[in-house]
Amino acid sequence: MIKVIGGVIAGVALSVLLAWKLIGGMVFSEVPSPYSVEETAARIQQNIQAAGNGWSISGLRNPAKPVEADGGNVLPVLLIEACSTVYSGPILKMDDVRFLSLLMPCKISVYKKNDGKVYIGLLNAGFVAKLFGSEVGAIMDKVVADQKKFLIMDPSKPAPALIIPKMGGEGGSGGGAGAAAGC
């Protein structure tokens, strides 16, 4: 009897661990960047501004800064916030999915890992959107197409300057320009 219970517990634990690993890979994406954290963030910002479709940069945060201020030591991280009223507007008008506003603005994280390399992390908006029906899915498919454009790193173009939104943007809180202007 103890072997059966132990087997069931081990099976459940293995299933939970496997689900955790698989879901993480489906919900989030991570791609390497050939540039520094700052240059990668600046190139993404430039791509956001050039994407059209109502996209604007609503914030730039440095979530490592409060940790450092508290005496911690972490590798560099920048969080770019961008929003498109073309895409957010229709979702915000639907009562049944308005809670998706917690995903607005879209966030792209640029960070360095202990391997010394820089990575870009973002939500797999296409996967998440499919959980909320065809209307949201159709909108988010367009977001996904634009996000692909944000990540194009053209080495033939010179490095742009990092855009620091006017209202804050430093630290782990504050919303940059997005706090006042919204998404």
Side-chain angles (χ1 to χ4, degrees), residues 4 6 14 52 64 71 97 104 107 112 116 135 150-152 158 167 175 180:
V4 171
L14 184 60
V97 293
M104 298 174 194
K107 294 168 189 71
K112 183 180 268 190
E135 196 169 358
F150 299 166
L151 302 183
I152 295 171
M167 293 179 55

Side-chain angles (χ1 to χ4, degrees), residues 51-83:
N53 296 325
W55 285 102
S56 64
I57 297 167
S58 56
L60 178 68
R61 297 176 195 255
N62 182 347
K65 202 164 201 142
V67 175
E68 292 167 352
D70 233 10
N73 187 11
V74 294
L75 292 170
V77 179
L78 287 176
L79 188 62
I80 304 160
E81 297 175 335
C83 197

